[in-house]
Amino acid sequence: MYVYAFLKTPTTALELPEGLANSLQLVEQGALSAVVESQLDPDTIRAGDERFQLQAILSHDRVLQDLFQQADVLPVPFGTFLVSLDALTQHLAAHQEVYVAKLQQVIHKAEYTLKAQLQPLVLEELPESAKGKDYFLAKKRRYQQQETYRNQQQAQLAGLLEAIAQLGCPYHHSEPKDGVERIHILGDRDDHGYLQQQVEQWQIDCPLWELSLGAALPPYHFV
């Protein structure tokens, strides 16, 4: 059983999207349910080529975002399988209290990803005619320019994180990837406009960074 998400057992029927290869089903266990796809071979995903893997990840996210439009969900990491329906129902029963408590924390909540990309530093050109002491001093100035820039960059990033903390919203700062800082903020589903206004102010305070705010997503980093 391939697992996409946990959610409180709905009182009205969900419109389940198509999965990676088959139709999805809702498995209920008291107050807790799971959205799963059966007849999906784990080896198919694990042994697939890079293109297939990417398609599988995109399908996983598509399903989660479709479900997120209908209910509060706890996203399950990509590639999660349970060996059988019995194993799934036992898992739901054993962890029901924990999952329901987590779901309570994300009622009407969404995750917003704030990306911060460092603006390129324009370095002082080394004079072509510089030699000896003049060349050494020019290189020293360039090094000092880089050091000053790095210090300012880190100070602005620290200030940005402090400003986010002052909002009172939980946030998760991921490891930088491809030179981009990613800060995941947990806010209300209708907070995008408010957060965008905050980002515009933060941009003024962080001129060395280019800031951009993503759309409301399932709470991937808060489960």
Side-chain angles (χ1 to χ4, degrees), residues 169-184:
C169 298
Y171 73 91
H172 175 82
H173 186 193
S174 295
E175 287 293 322
K177 184 179 180 182
D178 301 326
V180 179
E181 302 281 347
R182 288 173 173 80
I183 305 160
H184 312 284

Side-chain angles (χ1 to χ4, degrees), residues 4 7 25 28 48 57 59 77 98 122 127 138 141 158 171 213 219:
Y4 286 93
L7 67 160
Q25 63 185 104
E28 300 180 9
I57 292 170
S59 293
V98 173
V122 180
R141 283 195 301 271
Y171 73 91
L213 184 69

Side-chain angles (χ1 to χ4, degrees), residues 3 7 36 52 73 96 106 112 161 185 187 189 194 199:
V3 187
L7 67 160
V36 302
F52 179 84
V73 297
Q96 184 157 155
V106 297
Y112 300 90
L161 294 173
I185 303 170
R189 284 177 178 251
Y194 167 70
V199 170

Side-chain angles (χ1 to χ4, degrees), residues 91-209:
H91 182 83
L92 292 174
H95 298 86
Q96 184 157 155
E97 186 175 336
V98 173
Y99 288 150
V100 169
K102 286 185 176 182
L103 280 162
Q104 195 66 27
Q105 296 172 5
V106 297
I107 289 177
H108 198 63
K109 298 291 185 181
E111 177 179 313
Y112 300 90
T113 298
L114 175 64
K115 292 183 180 180
Q117 184 163 13
L118 190 61
Q119 299 278 29
L121 170 62
V122 180
L123 289 167
E124 175 187 342
E125 291 288 339
L126 289 174
E128 293 182 5
S129 60
K131 295 180 181 179
K133 183 179 178 180
D134 290 340
Y135 181 79
F136 173 78
L137 290 174
K139 285 197 70 173
K140 184 177 180 180
R141 283 195 301 271
R142 277 171 62 101
Y143 174 77
Q144 291 173 337
Q145 186 181 5
Q146 289 174 310
E147 282 296 295
T148 299
Y149 188 80
R150 277 193 287 267
N151 291 336
Q152 291 175 338
Q153 163 211 338
Q154 290 304 313
Q156 289 183 13
L157 181 60
L160 175 62
L161 294 173
E162 177 61 27
I164 293 171
Q166 289 177 1
L167 290 180
C169 298
Y171 73 91
H172 175 82
H173 186 193
S174 295
E175 287 293 322
K177 184 179 180 182
D178 301 326
V180 179
E181 302 281 347
R182 288 173 173 80
I183 305 160
H184 312 284
I185 303 170
L186 186 67
D188 288 342
R189 284 177 178 251
D190 54 3
D191 266 358
H192 189 276
Y194 167 70
L195 289 174
Q196 184 59 48
Q197 290 178 352
Q198 300 300 312
V199 170
E200 291 169 6
Q201 179 57 53
W202 297 338
Q203 182 66 81
I204 295 172
D205 299 333
C206 303
L208 299 186
W209 296 90

Side-chain angles (χ1 to χ4, degrees), residues 68-81:
F68 177 66
Q69 299 306 314
Q70 304 178 61
D72 296 308
V73 297
L74 293 181
V76 174
F78 170 74
T80 300
F81 283 86

